[in-house]
């Protein structure tokens, strides 16, 4: 499980180091998310948990007369995002917790967007309520999040090679990558926070883990740094760790075709609106 403190430390550093491969893994989902975010146009956008800045970058490049602010709590990711957006006069990256972010004078966003950045709020209802208060009347909310673990074959397959845990199962609603997997829960959170016209689009897409001349090695390296297997494998020692890595390679090889390693992934794109 990943919590907010992780993003300001080791996890944030890992994601900052792996931003190219992470952007690649989200490819088709990002395209659909940005398409939906652009649908009605916008003047001021806030990218919540902007990470290494891909969505901020795409929105700003596609709407040069609009302004886009990306906010993230990881100094490492913010540094990368600022470098990527440095050539754009209409993009700004802030080191900030979106749950406490405040719009400047005349900068209330009419679009709030996030690629997998909203599932880590300690108190999601309070966070979305705060963001509603910062948004302009009629503002749109568009974000992506993973559906439930049971819908994401890539998680089940990658973690199937790990030793079974005898400890208590984690709370599926605790802050983390799959906290927003159940649409009924997400709808309740947004309604309680004051958002309206809430809708869900299911997106099934190939998560690209590796590609190129040695796509299997590329994917193995990536999944040993990012994702649900990375931390678990790092905690293993000796033969158990070796066995897990062999198992991961076997899973990856099953999904290798034509120089690409792609695993089935399932997400929601959630849309909502602030009353006008």
């Amino acid at each position: 499980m990943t919590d907010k403190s992780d993003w300001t430390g080791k996890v944030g550093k890992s994601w900052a180091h792996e931003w190219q491969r992470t952007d690649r893994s989200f490819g088709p989902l990002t395209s659909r998310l940005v398409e939906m975010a652009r649908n009605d146009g916008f003047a001021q956008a806030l990218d919540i948990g902007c990470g290494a800045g891909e969505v901020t970058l795409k929105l700003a490049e596609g709407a040069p007369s609009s302004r886009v602010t990306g906010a993230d709590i990881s100094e490492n990711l913010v540094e990368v995002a600022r470098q990527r957006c440095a050539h754009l006069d209409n993009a700004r990256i802030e080191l900030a917790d979106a749950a406490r972010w405040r719009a400047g004078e005349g900068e209330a966003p009419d679009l709030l967007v996030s690629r997998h950045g909203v599932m880590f709020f300690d108190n999601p209802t309070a966070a979305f309520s705060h963001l509603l208060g910062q948004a302009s009347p009629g503002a749109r909310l568009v974000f992506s999040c993973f559906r439930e673990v049971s819908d994401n074959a890539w998680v089940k397959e990658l973690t199937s090679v790990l030793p079974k845990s005898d400890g208590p199962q984690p709370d599926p609603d605790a802050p983390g990558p799959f906290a927003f997997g159940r649409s009924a829960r997400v709808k309740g959170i947004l309604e309680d926070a004051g958002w309206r016209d809430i809708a869900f689009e299911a997106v099934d897409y190939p998560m690209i883990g590796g590609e190129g001349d040695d796509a299997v090695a590329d994917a193995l390296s990536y999944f040993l740094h990012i994702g649900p297997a990375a931390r678990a494998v790092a905690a293993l020692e000796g033969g158990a760790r070796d066995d897990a890595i062999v198992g991961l390679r076997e899973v990856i090889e099953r999904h290798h075709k034509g120089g690409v390693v792609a695993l089935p992934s399932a997400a929601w794109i959630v849309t909502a609106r602030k009353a006008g």
Side-chain angles (χ1 to χ4, degrees):
M1 189 63 65
T2 305
D3 62 31
K4 188 162 64 176
S5 63
D6 290 325
W7 290 106
T8 61
K10 186 176 180 180
V11 173
K13 290 179 182 178
S14 294
W15 281 71
H17 179 72
E18 292 287 353
W19 69 264
Q20 292 99 331
R21 294 198 286 190
T22 299
D23 283 357
R24 179 183 68 186
S25 75
F26 282 120
L29 178 66
T30 302
S31 296
R32 180 58 180 151
L33 176 70
V34 171
E35 177 187 20
M36 292 178 70
R38 287 174 175 163
N39 270 348
D40 294 337
F42 64 92
Q44 300 274 353
L46 173 67
D47 183 3
I48 302 163
C50 68
E54 184 179 27
V55 172
T56 301
L57 181 69
K58 287 181 178 295
L59 288 176
E61 286 181 335
S65 62
S66 303
R67 294 198 58 81
V68 185
T69 299
D72 203 280
I73 63 173
S74 166
E75 291 184 9
N76 300 97
L77 285 165
V78 162
E79 181 179 354
V80 172
R82 284 174 174 166
Q83 291 171 359
R84 296 177 72 186
C85 295
H87 65 290
L88 295 168
D89 292 335
N90 64 327
R92 180 177 73 222
I93 306 296
E94 295 184 9
L95 179 64
D97 181 350
R100 297 173 177 82
W101 178 85
R102 293 193 175 277
E105 183 68 28
E107 295 183 343
D110 57 343
L111 171 66
L112 296 89
V113 65
S114 181
R115 186 185 72 185
H116 279 48
V118 298
M119 306 95 76
F120 305 94
F121 289 134
D122 293 331
N123 186 333
T125 301
F128 280 111
S129 178
H130 170 77
L131 289 166
L132 184 80
Q134 298 302 305
S136 63
R140 293 182 299 128
L141 174 66
V142 184
F143 67 82
S144 68
C145 57
F146 282 124
R147 303 206 306 266
E148 295 181 78
V149 172
S150 58
D151 293 327
N152 279 276
W154 68 275
V155 180
K156 293 185 286 186
E157 293 200 46
L158 292 179
T159 57
S160 69
V161 305
L162 301 173
K164 303 302 180 185
S165 172
D166 295 327
Q169 294 300 306
D171 177 1
D173 293 340
F178 299 95
F180 279 17
R182 294 188 294 113
S183 59
R185 177 175 186 253
V186 177
K187 187 171 188 257
I189 289 170
L190 294 176
E191 286 178 338
D192 289 347
W195 293 90
R196 57 187 294 179
D197 300 335
I198 301 159
F200 295 79
E201 178 178 303
V203 180
D204 296 299
Y205 67 100
M207 177 180 286
I208 307 301
E211 60 185 3
D213 294 337
D214 198 346
V216 171
D218 184 21
L220 181 61
S221 168
Y222 179 60
F223 290 129
L224 285 173
H225 284 89
I226 297 292
R231 181 179 296 187
V233 172
L236 299 175
E237 297 179 350
R241 186 175 190 276
D242 294 340
D243 289 345
I245 292 174
V246 169
L248 278 176
R249 179 178 284 275
E250 291 174 351
V251 169
I252 289 165
E253 287 173 342
R254 291 200 298 269
H255 292 277
H256 178 217
K257 183 178 181 179
V260 176
V261 174
L263 282 75
S265 184
W268 295 117
I269 294 182
V270 184
T271 55
R273 189 177 292 275
K274 178 177 178 176

